[in-house]
Amino acid sequence: MKYYYSRMVLAAALLGASTAAMAQAERAPANEDQGGPAEGDVIIVEGQKIAKSESTPLAAEFVEFGTQVQIISDEEIKTGGFTNFGELAAGLIRGANVGYSPDEGEFTIRIDGGTDRDTLLLVDGVPYFDRSSPSEDLWPATAIDPRMISSVEIFRGGQSLYFGSNGGLGVVSVRSKQPDGKFEGEIGVYAGSFKTREIYGNVSVPLPLGDEGQHSLMVFGRSYETDSNTLFNREAFADTLLELGGFRKYPYSYNNIGAKYRWQIRPGTELRAGFQLATIDFEDTFPDSSPYAPNKTEFPIFNASFISQLNDKLRVEFEGHYQAPKLINTELDPLVCSIPRVADLPASVRSRAPTGGFTTAAAFEAFAAANGLPAGCVTNPQFNFGRANVQAREGIYVNPANGQPYGTLSNPFPIGNPMGFVIQSVANFGTGVPTKGIGDVDQFVSGYIDYGANLRAVYKWADWLESVVGVQNTSYKDNSDPVFGVRNVTLRSTGVYGDLRFKLPVFEGLNISLAGRHDFNTNFKDETVWKFGARQELPGGFYLRASGGTSYSAPKIDEIGAYGPLANVNPGLESQSVKAYNFGAGINGEFSGGTFNIELGYFTTDITNQFGDRTIGGVCLEYAREVRPGALLARDEIERNRASIVTPDAFCATAAAANLAQNQTVAVNTLAKQTIEGFTVDLSLDTKLFQFDVTFTKNKSLEPNPNRGLLARLDGTTTNLGFVLPGPAGTDEFRQSAERPEWSLSGLFTVTPSDRWVLSLNPRYQGPEWAWAPGGAARLVNAAGERVVKDVNFGNYFVLNGSIQYYLGENREHRFMLRAVNILGKDYFERYSGGSTLQISRAAVRGEIGPQNSSYYRQYGWNGKPRSFWVQYEYNF
């Protein structure tokens, strides 16, 4: 009922606004021809002339000084009809890879082969980056309302200098629709496959304060509901999950409401503020674990900005934010009848049981028969409790041999038989109570608080010299219920940065940027980064560009060592470091009354100081057996452990002085290095009739191969064979990072035969993308020495999406769209599991299979959408 009510309120509000709009005596045309911007008011991005008013000043300056920039316009976004930002990124952002699946309610955005933490996603300056929560990850990218996006700006290469942490491979900056002093808005509906239904809209009104249009307010909202496509195939599920109804639909619900305020103080100076509350409800069940897991996330976000062109030399910009995302989830695991422990047996028969307990159900069943015990689980079924279980005539609760309900002494549940559900998790480093239940005693809220501000000033000293100085603060801390036991630690970073920009008169068309930044950090080590950029315009429209430098990724709350009484904060913990270089050569030109761009690019990135945790006794020399008699490890063993990490020597001295236990842990940096290298080919054409943008990205995103040198094992045994596991898995030092396509080719092709019709195709052709078998499964071989759990290439597919739009009305105020996804009906996977364990399956619970068996592992994929269609209607006023 709550969703029905919210949709009705939203519909009423928007309908009232549209009625008021139609009552206006005068209305500005939706697409009034202003004659186009003057030549000095445009920037050339990928061969396309973009009005400076349609981009941020920073984007225009980044283009000028060598950064590779992509700008996605509102018109391009409309061609896709995207229902979440994951779909938009996969369809329109060059070289983007979506972590997880856009249809799952959980996804992240990566560019150019990086990890989740190396691409910083911003929305109006607010970082949509997960700071971690003790229940499980939050997914801020899911909170973005695609109907409120005005444009997307992508800045490639290391970008920590201007934006702080997590911009190691680039920044994806989303700019949302804003009030602009006029009465205007849009209302839309969207419906189609998977019972999708949506209503959305925004209305901007001038306020009767000050001069006309000086103050304005926008209200907006969206309600989106869908059953979604079948995410996992039936054969992916463990048998016990199937018997409990684990194969089910994945309904997804998104609701958003908010307001934005604008004060145009004077020409060139404005103040903006906004608030939104987005809620996402989705199913988080998996084929190897939970049959029932509804998740609820809330994203209350406040933001404000100020920009002022004080004079022709000085511009000041400010952005600030506060957000407090929350996660409330229910996760029920199967309750499966298991082999009893010896301690659970009647005292009279314990001495007869094997000392080490029963390893198989068959062994216990034989023991039970010999000692007069029930050979399974007794639940004492009663008519008034679990009524359906007792009255059932068939199914998991009934013995098919006699038709009687399971659970009595004479008719116990067989070992390996599912009996119902049990709450999945407890606060294992907190109070120990269940946290993912259904009510106030067993379901608790996890989340974090994130707030910060970024202030910078741009000063033009001369036609050939300008400078940027800025200061940025980012702070975050846990905001979960106390039962989780997270330490009250605030991670804070205050950075001071500067950038000198030269337009050297001695080399016409040469622009150079040299910049640096130092961050003063709390609870982790201070960081210094640098960046350069250069662009050389050449005759005939040719150009060269280059950028490079260092960036970093600050630790999350869990990575700092704030989770649990045995974890410790390491003040000397270093940020994850990124060094990236990006080069390009291209040409901008004119063709057939329009513009074109051709560019060849190259990028290379090294990622070091990745985060990990170790026991104090495993890495601190003060805890060696030679120093502390009775310690677990000798000095030489500790030295071997220290060889793979940045040693926390200062912490170790403090830990030893405080006599901390050797089993406590400390956050550390590892010495593992990830190397990314690739090249790009970009082609674009923009004419009145035809527009296309095609990009090819080839990248090697290499990580150390953890299976290198592992000895093979015969399937079903734990005995090492006399040879390394066969193929590249056993011999290669590095491998392509999981879920990073080796190459991709994508594009947007649009035909506009008139100002009424827009026809678009959005193809994506992807090369190999790997899901790696885990070490225990990867080393298993058959009698012929061949691997039996192989690595899976789930890439090499082609998907074609498209849309047809038609504009109706004197001012094209009515927009109709037919959206088609996967037009060719290709079966493909968005993501893949290389080998999840089936530890809750009947055979595993009975002890008939284990980690030494290939049948203990299940490989499965997240299905991409099948061929599907939607229609959209939007009214602009």
Side-chain angles (χ1 to χ4, degrees), residues 84-147:
N84 60 59
F85 191 72
E87 288 185 339
L88 186 155
L92 297 180
I93 296 180
R94 293 175 168 178
N97 174 243
V98 179
Y100 277 66
S101 166
D103 300 313
E104 188 184 352
E106 300 178 333
F107 59 82
T108 58
I109 309 302
R110 311 159 177 159
I111 59 175
D112 295 340
T115 67
D116 298 343
R117 66 184 316 135
D118 301 317
T119 301
L120 178 59
L121 177 60
L122 300 173
V123 180
D124 295 330
V126 180
Y128 277 45
F129 180 78
D130 186 5
R131 306 296 185 186
S132 85
S133 80
S135 181
E136 60 182 72
D137 287 340
L138 281 153
W139 307 90
T142 62
I144 299 176
D145 184 349
R147 309 302 181 206

Side-chain angles (χ1 to χ4, degrees), residues 394-454:
E394 59 181 35
I396 64 172
Y397 300 108
V398 176
N399 186 339
N402 56 29
Q404 297 301 309
Y406 282 128
T408 62
L409 282 169
S410 60
N411 191 35
F413 276 97
I415 294 174
N417 202 88
M419 300 185 296
F421 305 91
V422 63
I423 298 172
Q424 180 188 85
S425 300
V426 298
N428 56 4
F429 42 76
T431 62
V433 300
T435 59
K436 297 183 180 181
I438 60 174
D440 62 352
V441 298
D442 59 12
Q443 184 186 65
F444 295 93
V445 178
S446 67
Y448 59 86
I449 291 174
D450 178 324
Y451 54 94
N454 197 346

Side-chain angles (χ1 to χ4, degrees), residues 71 90 124 154-155 201 266 332 376 400 443 548 647 660 708 759 788:
I71 298 179
D124 295 330
I154 300 94
F155 312 134
R266 61 181 179 83
L332 302 183
Q443 184 186 65
T647 55
L660 298 182
R708 186 189 187 204
L759 293 78
V788 289

